[in-house]
Amino acid sequence: MARSNRTRMLALAGALTTALATITLASAPAQAADCRAPQGESCVRITNATQQVRSLRENRNGRCLTGIEPGQTREWPNISFNYWRHHLALTGYTGRNCEGNTQFNAWDGQWNGPDSRNYYFMTIRNR
């Protein structure tokens, strides 16, 4: 009988250890992506403080920046620009894939940076 109680206690301790490890890993922040900008350029990070914008189109080559839900910050390590040579302008959309019929212009933001990780960053807000 003593052996079965000991076995149950060990099993319980093992389950608790596994649960704590899972919680710790799940709550750890995702590692930020390294900027892969060419020499003289910086990557893009945007914080979305609007309730409407869900995608952005950058003016330089028309790429749609997706995955920027309200309240989130998103980095694009593959999109870069030289702030002094070609200012990156963005168009906002309420749709998640830059659908033309969802264009939303009642927001603004200002580029800052680059930061120590070589990202220009902007917080977009409603006007």
Side-chain angles (χ1 to χ4, degrees), residues 103-121:
Q103 187 169 333
F104 180 76
N105 296 318
W107 67 274
D108 58 20
Q110 180 177 341
W111 288 111
N112 294 294
D115 65 10
S116 62
R117 294 179 44 238
N118 199 29
Y119 276 86
Y120 268 100
F121 51 96

Side-chain angles (χ1 to χ4, degrees), residues 54-56 64-69 74 76 96-98:
R54 287 183 167 72
S55 60
L56 298 158
C64 182
L65 309 180
T66 60
I68 182 79
E69 292 294 318
R74 173 82 196 272
W76 288 273
R96 288 182 169 83
N97 294 302
C98 299

Side-chain angles (χ1 to χ4, degrees), residues 22-124:
T22 302
I23 291 168
T24 302
L25 289 174
S27 64
Q31 185 171 351
D34 290 333
C35 177
R36 296 187 284 275
Q39 182 71 26
E41 296 189 7
S42 298
C43 294
V44 174
R45 179 176 61 240
I46 296 173
T47 299
N48 186 355
T50 75
Q51 291 301 310
Q52 294 82 11
V53 175
R54 287 183 167 72
S55 60
L56 298 158
R57 184 169 307 282
E58 55 103 350
N59 69 333
R60 205 166 122 208
N61 65 14
R63 284 184 285 204
C64 182
L65 309 180
T66 60
I68 182 79
E69 292 294 318
Q72 293 182 340
T73 297
R74 173 82 196 272
E75 293 179 345
W76 288 273
N78 297 337
I79 297 177
S80 62
F81 69 106
N82 179 314
Y83 182 82
W84 303 107
R85 266 199 334 241
H86 36 67
H87 188 74
L88 186 67
L90 303 168
T91 303
Y93 297 88
T94 58
R96 288 182 169 83
N97 294 302
C98 299
E99 299 94 347
N101 63 337
T102 68
Q103 187 169 333
F104 180 76
N105 296 318
W107 67 274
D108 58 20
Q110 180 177 341
W111 288 111
N112 294 294
D115 65 10
S116 62
R117 294 179 44 238
N118 199 29
Y119 276 86
Y120 268 100
F121 51 96
M122 174 190 294
T123 298
I124 60 173

